[in-house]
Amino acid sequence: MADTTSPTVRLATRDDVPTILQLIHELAAYEHATHEVLATEASLLSTLSFAPSSSDDGSSSDPSSDSIPRPASTFLVITPSKEVAGMALYFHNYSTWRAAPGIYLEDLFIRPAFRRRGYGKMLLARLAAETLRVGGKRLEWSVLKWNQPSIDFYEGIGAKMMSEWVGMRVEGEGLETLAKGNVIAYERVNTAI
């Protein structure tokens, strides 16, 4: 019988999608970026992978059933009173230099009422174990420069800041343009590529 007096970490099920979406909105509010959230329950259902839920009977005719590979997964940390305290949303990546997989932590969020109870460390420990389970060599993530409490927390668990790397992103219209192969404007700016 499971210990009901201890917090637990488990993979999210399809039934957890409303909670995941709520956590995403709470994280966006913390990061002053609520206007950037485009996620919906439907988009999460079609892009996340899930553990089987207690209501799954294996006969789902839903086109987004769990038999279709999904790029990302979510661990949830559950309090002894069965409340969701936070989440770690992640996906697998690959290191060519190490010739090994790894995990990229897209979002780690603990609700303010549950902070400083070890829940963030529990989620990161579970992610580290998952990284090792898949033969991975590293667990990595990004943190906002202004988020000093998180930076301090991450350094406290042994994470190292990667100051020699700069994050890059293409999105929106730039992504559409790049996908069409229309990179002439970019080549003029950066002839080194």
Side-chain angles (χ1 to χ4, degrees):
M1 185 168 179
D3 179 3
T4 58
T5 61
S6 299
T8 58
V9 174
R10 65 168 174 80
L11 274 172
T13 67
R14 299 172 68 74
D15 297 336
D16 293 313
V17 166
T19 301
I20 294 169
L21 184 58
Q22 180 60 40
L23 289 165
I24 290 169
H25 282 282
E26 290 174 33
L27 172 61
Y30 175 75
E31 294 183 352
H32 314 290
T34 54
H35 62 284
E36 294 183 33
V37 177
L38 302 177
T40 64
E41 287 185 22
S43 65
L44 293 172
L45 282 166
S46 68
T47 57
L48 294 177
S49 61
F50 302 98
S53 68
S54 58
S55 62
D56 286 344
D57 63 5
S59 63
S60 175
S61 61
D62 185 340
S64 61
S65 71
D66 294 344
S67 64
I68 300 169
R70 307 280 177 214
S73 298
T74 308
F75 281 125
L76 298 174
V77 62
I78 312 299
T79 70
S81 60
K82 306 299 180 216
E83 295 176 83
V84 176
M87 71 170 182
L89 197 148
Y90 69 96
F91 56 89
H92 294 92
N93 60 12
Y94 191 82
S95 168
T96 53
W97 288 9
R98 287 177 164 69
I103 286 183
Y104 187 86
L105 171 60
E106 179 65 24
D107 285 317
L108 176 69
F109 181 70
I110 303 297
R111 289 177 158 149
F114 299 106
R115 292 185 184 153
R116 302 198 181 283
R117 298 184 191 185
Y119 294 142
K121 288 179 184 175
M122 286 180 70
L123 285 167
L124 287 168
R126 182 67 181 267
L127 283 168
E130 178 67 9
T131 302
L132 294 174
R133 187 190 71 77
V134 300
K137 301 295 183 195
R138 63 182 176 207
L139 169 61
E140 55 191 332
W141 60 91
S142 298
V143 60
L144 290 166
K145 290 178 182 179
W146 59 260
N147 193 347
Q148 196 60 48
S150 291
I151 292 169
D152 293 343
F153 168 73
Y154 295 140
E155 289 177 338
I157 61 153
K160 305 284 186 240
M161 193 173 294
M162 309 260 314
S163 58
E164 69 274 14
W165 290 89
V166 174
M168 302 294 289
R169 177 183 297 162
V170 179
E171 61 184 1
E173 187 178 320
L175 183 61
E176 299 279 337
T177 301
L178 184 59
K180 292 175 185 171
N182 188 5
V183 294
I184 294 170
Y186 299 117
E187 289 175 354
R188 284 190 205 126
V189 173
N190 191 353
T191 57
I193 297 178

